[in-house]
Amino acid sequence: MRHLTILILSILSIQLSHAQINEIGIFVGGSNFIGDVGATNYISPNQLAIGGLYKWNRSKRHSYRASIIFSELEGIDTNSDDPRRIQRGFEFSSKVTELSLGMEFTFIDFNLHSGKTLGTPYLFSGITVANHDNHYFENGIQTDENTSSWAFGIPMAIGYKTNFLGNFILGLEIGARYTFSDELDGSVPSEASRQQQFQFGNINNNDWYVFSGITLTYTFGENPCYCVD
């Protein structure tokens, strides 16, 4: 009987060593665009960005993370420091819905069941796909194509997070997205028949956009034991 008890406790210990903590919450902040139209400031939020995220904490140092964020990307040439853009005077806005999946790494052990208030910087990267409206410029005016496209990209985010009020975690994050597309601002029309007539800008540089804001998540699930004594 004693050996059976030890065996059961060992199995439970191994199971707990692989148990996880889940996080679910929201992202609220702003977005800004970097491309062939508008300002080129890297961190200059000018439109609301809001969404939700889920994390699966694989260990004290890394988590798998998925999110969906809704925003509107905006570019206004007159807000640029480039005299040529100011003189050109183009403006655009485009709704965007981004899905992302990747991994978050913390600089310091973030053991959520330690009972202590913790804080750590972190990095996030993975892959994104963003659905955006298609348009082009005709006579300097944004002209909608009444279609949308998907742009794949790579997120590069840095942030700081801390736990408070028991199971809540608050984070501050700035995340740039490099996309594999030059169509978000309308400098390259999605329709090939229009590209020769309406394409402009630097065709060697793809579009970027940045989300800056706060995350608020709630942890739930079994407390992990990351090592077996």
Side-chain angles (χ1 to χ4, degrees):
M1 185 66 181
R2 179 173 178 271
H3 294 294
L4 179 61
T5 302
I6 293 175
L7 177 61
I8 292 173
L9 289 175
S10 298
I11 293 173
L12 289 175
S13 179
I14 293 172
Q15 289 178 337
L16 284 174
S17 71
H18 292 86
Q20 311 301 327
I21 278 186
N22 303 283
E23 292 182 47
I24 190 167
I26 60 171
F27 172 89
V28 178
S31 67
N32 65 280
F33 176 79
I34 306 166
D36 292 306
V37 179
T40 55
N41 301 321
Y42 286 101
I43 305 172
S44 181
N46 53 33
Q47 293 292 320
L48 176 67
I50 188 168
L53 68 155
Y54 168 78
K55 299 181 188 180
W56 183 47
N57 295 309
R58 184 65 181 84
S59 76
K60 295 177 286 186
R61 298 295 293 272
H62 76 284
S63 307
Y64 297 110
R65 167 173 158 173
S67 68
I68 180 170
I69 298 178
F70 306 92
S71 188
E72 186 168 350
L73 301 180
E74 179 185 78
I76 302 176
D77 277 348
T78 54
N79 292 337
S80 172
D81 295 328
D82 187 339
R84 294 169 298 179
R85 294 195 181 191
I86 295 172
Q87 184 178 13
R88 184 180 62 187
F90 283 8
E91 296 183 13
F92 89 94
S93 63
S94 177
K95 290 183 173 59
V96 63
T97 300
E98 182 201 81
L99 303 171
S100 72
L101 183 65
M103 189 171 289
E104 185 177 292
F105 299 89
T106 64
F107 287 75
I108 302 171
D109 285 353
F110 201 65
N111 188 350
L112 294 174
H113 73 290
S114 67
K116 301 177 182 178
T117 300
L118 304 171
T120 178
Y122 65 87
L123 297 173
F124 168 72
S125 188
I127 189 169
T128 64
V129 59
N131 182 259
H132 62 90
D133 300 330
N134 289 326
H135 64 273
Y136 61 97
F137 287 90
E138 186 172 8
N139 298 322
I141 305 233
Q142 179 180 351
T143 304
D144 294 332
E145 295 186 354
N146 298 317
T147 61
S148 63
S149 296
W150 292 92
F152 286 90
I154 298 175
M156 294 167 277
I158 186 169
Y160 183 87
K161 61 183 180 180
T162 182
N163 60 329
F164 74 107
L165 295 178
N167 290 350
F168 287 95
I169 297 173
L170 181 68
L172 177 65
E173 178 176 299
I174 298 171
R177 273 69 169 169
Y178 170 78
T179 73
F180 299 104
S181 172
D182 199 18
E183 299 179 0
L184 275 72
D185 56 9
S187 62
V188 179
S190 62
E191 291 289 338
S193 60
R194 297 192 182 102
Q195 288 182 6
Q196 185 174 359
Q197 181 179 359
F198 298 109
Q199 181 173 321
F200 66 92
N202 188 342
I203 62 174
N204 296 315
N205 287 341
N206 289 337
D207 296 328
W208 293 71
Y209 60 92
V210 180
F211 289 144
S212 307
I214 62 171
T215 62
L216 179 63
T217 58
Y218 177 80
T219 66
F220 63 96
E222 297 182 42
N223 287 337
C225 176
Y226 297 116
C227 60
V228 180
D229 295 331

